[in-house]
Amino acid sequence: MMAQQNDKGESGAGRLHRRMLDAVGEAIASGRYEPGYRLTLDALQREFGVSRTVARDTMRVLETMNLVTSRRRVGIVVQDPAQWNVYDPQLVRWRLTSPRRDEQYASLTELRIAVEPLAAAGAARRASATQRIELTRLAADLRRLGESGDLDAFLDADIAFHRLILSSSGNEMFAALEGMVAEVLTSRTRQGRMPFHPRDEALDAHERAAAAIARGDANDAEASAREILHEVRGALNLS
Amino acid sequence: MMAQQNDKGESGAGRLHRRMLDAVGEAIASGRYEPGYRLTLDALQREFGVSRTVARDTMRVLETMNLVTSRRRVGIVVQDPAQWNVYDPQLVRWRLTSPRRDEQYASLTELRIAVEPLAAAGAARRASATQRIELTRLAADLRRLGESGDLDAFLDADIAFHRLILSSSGNEMFAALEGMVAEVLTSRTRQGRMPFHPRDEALDAHERAAAAIARGDANDAEASAREILHEVRGALNLS
DNA sequence: CTCCCTCAAAGATAGCACCATTGCGTGGGA
DNA sequence: TCCCACGCAATGGTGCTATCTTTGAGGGAG
């Protein structure tokens, strides 16, 4: 009867609950809604001009990410960051586009340093034949693109290289970090945060890692991956 | 008209959507609903005797975990495991109580091996004074309980020890793995999967790690943590 | 006769409004 | 001080409309 004043009129059309989710999620992730801040469904549906259904769905999703808890009579309470489900890719994205992006970047980089060497070792043991070949090809591409100076193409190849190591590691927990690594690498280049001129050592290490994985040498693969990440280490204020 | 035959009658009362979530989530995680299997809201609300609202909420949550996608006209489709949000603690739990628990256990253990050494190094740099003291105390407890043979108490202390390292690492991505580590350690003991008689080397390594963290020696902390995890490595069929 | 294109109907989610129930925190009264 | 009633806010339910998109039927062209 007098329902839809908003869904078709908006550019986004469908997925209007996605817009609300992004808005609220980003607000919490960025700290604009502090821990302890109380929301109510009523306020939310008025603020976003949506129905109770959509507001409820949205809050339910944020609840499973542990961004909020909802209790009767008290409302929807923003939780302490320590409780958050920080591996949720959506939350990672929100945090990477917020003022606190630097913390997030540092944490993710440290996680990369932890995971990628073992992922490389796993790949050396468990990658398929085609994955090994593809990895070798990508290492060669990296060499070529690095020397040609095409940073965008280099970034793409670099992402593909690291993704492939993770996904062929045979460990789905590692593979699930694909998107995170892509995000971090992209962010690194885009921001010039880590002045980016691929050094010979790095290119060598990529090739050595690819070769080690190709011939199934887990130890060397792990060591080479560690070397790849060595320069990254400098970006964090540790060691 | 024929609505609530179940919510009050059940012991759980409130959170009836939690029960449905667990049921469907566990079914998907265990592979009982294979990738590509199509659910519909109608079928779900009939199967679980819930209303559309609850069914929708539930599916929305599963959707943000990437366990399913819901497309118009086609229904709700179970996604490929590669897409799953495997770091969601809820999903971890479902997978650990499913027939495929062994894969999950192996993956998580490998992740521990990757993360804990770096977490220990981080703790050596960034732990608070009280955390360092507590860690030393826990290491001593472990020695005592290990020698006394009280496996349950040992498990509790072991969990506390590893949790504390993760949470004092200063990296919230590491800290978020607390629950996972607790789950893995518990599972290890409960199943006798890894025959558990704390060896002297392990107890020594725990004490060395605690001492290294206490005095801020990141390198030694990392090495000691690696040593702690060394015996765990044998449980996986790698290296 | 067959193939392809178009278009309409069907089936399913997306979303809305409104309603009853249930916890539970707070403040007023004994 | 303690207890209880009141009201707020979430939980869960019902029925409806809008919209999308798949699928299949029908018709025209080769």
Side-chain angles (χ1 to χ4, degrees):
Chain A
M1 37 208 69
M2 52 85 179
Q4 60 285 30
Q5 74 282 20
N6 42 13
D7 56 352
K8 198 54 178 298
E10 293 288 338
S11 57
R15 304 336 224 195
L16 102 158
H17 132 292
R18 183 57 56 117
R19 289 195 310 114
M20 178 176 180
L21 185 62
D22 273 342
V24 182
E26 206 271 336
I28 296 175
S30 72
R32 274 206 308 289
Y33 291 157
E34 292 187 356
Y37 184 85
R38 292 172 16 164
L39 307 153
T40 77
L41 286 182
D42 272 332
L44 287 170
Q45 60 180 311
R46 246 175 293 118
E47 178 169 350
F48 290 92
V50 297
S51 78
R52 203 164 196 79
T53 315
V54 174
R56 260 167 53 86
D57 278 2
T58 305
M59 290 305 109
R60 193 79 84 187
V61 169
L62 292 178
E63 206 181 348
T64 65
M65 294 196 227
N66 272 322
L67 286 189
V68 301
T69 46
S70 109
R71 295 206 327 269
R72 279 191 159 142
R73 160 69 209 185
V74 60
I76 293 153
V77 185
V78 177
Q79 284 223 303
D80 189 88
Q83 306 297 316
W84 295 355
N85 223 337
V86 285
Y87 284 89
D88 193 301
Q90 205 136 43
L91 181 50
V92 170
R93 218 167 307 128
W94 288 331
R95 296 181 70 198
L96 277 175
T97 61
S98 88
R100 311 171 99 180
R101 62 188 309 290
D102 287 359
E103 297 169 41
Q104 176 70 350
Y105 181 82
S107 302
L108 292 177
T109 302
E110 203 179 7
L111 180 63
R112 275 189 67 201
I113 294 172
V115 164
E116 290 197 48
L118 268 204
R125 288 188 201 92
R126 303 185 283 246
S128 73
T130 59
Q131 285 170 329
R132 290 173 207 263
I133 292 171
E134 174 71 3
L135 211 53
T136 310
R137 202 181 61 69
L138 281 169
D141 283 2
L142 281 175
R143 162 77 60 188
R144 187 167 48 75
L145 293 167
E147 284 171 354
S148 88
D150 183 344
L151 282 191
D152 279 350
F154 184 87
L155 173 62
D156 286 347
D158 202 20
I159 290 177
F161 183 86
H162 289 276
R163 287 180 94 112
L164 187 52
I165 287 182
L166 289 170
S167 66
S168 52
S169 70
N171 183 329
E172 76 279 5
M173 303 301 286
F174 293 169
L177 298 175
E178 269 192 19
M180 177 275 279
V181 170
E183 209 78 56
V184 169
L185 289 176
T186 305
S187 154
R188 178 178 75 168
T189 301
R190 230 180 4 222
Q191 301 240 334
R193 182 195 174 94
M194 172 174 312
F196 200 49
H197 49 101
R199 296 177 318 157
D200 254 13
E201 291 90 340
L203 295 176
D204 287 350
H206 278 82
E207 278 174 340
R208 242 193 333 280
I213 292 174
R215 71 171 185 277
D217 183 338
N219 286 335
D220 193 17
E222 183 173 342
S224 302
R226 228 177 273 287
E227 198 175 334
I228 292 176
L229 291 161
H230 195 260
E231 62 175 337
V232 177
R233 207 163 200 143
L236 313 178
N237 55 349
L238 43 87
S239 93
Chain B
M1 39 199 69
M2 51 85 181
Q4 59 281 37
Q5 73 282 20
N6 40 14
D7 57 352
K8 197 53 177 301
E10 293 288 338
S11 56
R15 310 319 230 200
L16 101 159
H17 127 290
R18 184 57 58 116
R19 289 196 310 115
M20 180 177 178
L21 186 62
D22 273 342
V24 181
E26 206 272 334
I28 296 176
S30 72
R32 272 206 309 290
Y33 291 158
E34 292 187 356
Y37 185 86
R38 291 172 18 165
L39 306 152
T40 76
L41 286 182
D42 266 336
L44 287 169
Q45 60 180 310
R46 246 175 294 120
E47 178 169 351
F48 290 93
V50 296
S51 78
R52 201 163 202 79
T53 316
V54 175
R56 262 164 53 89
D57 278 4
T58 306
M59 289 305 110
R60 191 79 81 188
V61 169
L62 292 178
E63 206 181 346
T64 66
M65 294 199 231
N66 271 324
L67 287 189
V68 301
T69 47
S70 111
R71 296 203 324 268
R72 278 191 160 147
R73 161 69 203 182
V74 62
I76 293 154
V77 185
V78 177
Q79 284 224 305
D80 190 87
Q83 307 297 316
W84 295 355
N85 222 343
V86 285
Y87 285 88
D88 192 300
Q90 204 137 44
L91 181 49
V92 169
R93 218 167 305 128
W94 289 332
R95 296 181 71 197
L96 277 175
T97 62
S98 87
R100 310 172 99 180
R101 62 188 309 289
D102 286 359
E103 297 168 41
Q104 176 70 349
Y105 181 82
S107 302
L108 292 177
T109 301
E110 202 179 6
L111 180 63
R112 275 188 67 201
I113 295 172
V115 164
E116 290 196 49
L118 267 204
R125 288 190 200 90
R126 304 185 281 246
S128 74
T130 58
Q131 286 170 330
R132 290 172 208 264
I133 292 170
E134 173 73 1
L135 211 52
T136 310
R137 202 181 59 68
L138 281 169
D141 283 1
L142 280 175
R143 162 78 61 191
R144 187 170 46 76
L145 293 167
E147 284 168 354
S148 87
D150 183 343
L151 282 190
D152 279 350
F154 183 86
L155 173 62
D156 286 347
D158 202 20
I159 290 177
F161 183 86
H162 289 277
R163 287 181 94 112
L164 186 53
I165 287 181
L166 289 171
S167 66
S168 52
S169 69
N171 183 330
E172 76 278 5
M173 303 301 287
F174 293 168
L177 299 175
E178 269 191 19
M180 178 274 280
V181 170
E183 208 78 56
V184 169
L185 289 176
T186 305
S187 154
R188 179 178 75 167
T189 301
R190 225 176 12 218
Q191 301 241 332
R193 183 194 173 93
M194 170 172 312
F196 201 48
H197 49 103
R199 296 176 318 158
D200 253 13
E201 291 90 340
L203 295 175
D204 287 351
H206 278 83
E207 279 174 340
R208 243 194 333 278
I213 292 173
R215 72 171 185 278
D217 183 338
N219 286 333
D220 194 16
E222 183 173 341
S224 301
R226 229 176 273 287
E227 198 176 335
I228 293 177
L229 291 161
H230 195 261
E231 62 174 339
V232 177
R233 209 164 199 141
L236 313 178
N237 55 349
L238 42 88
S239 93

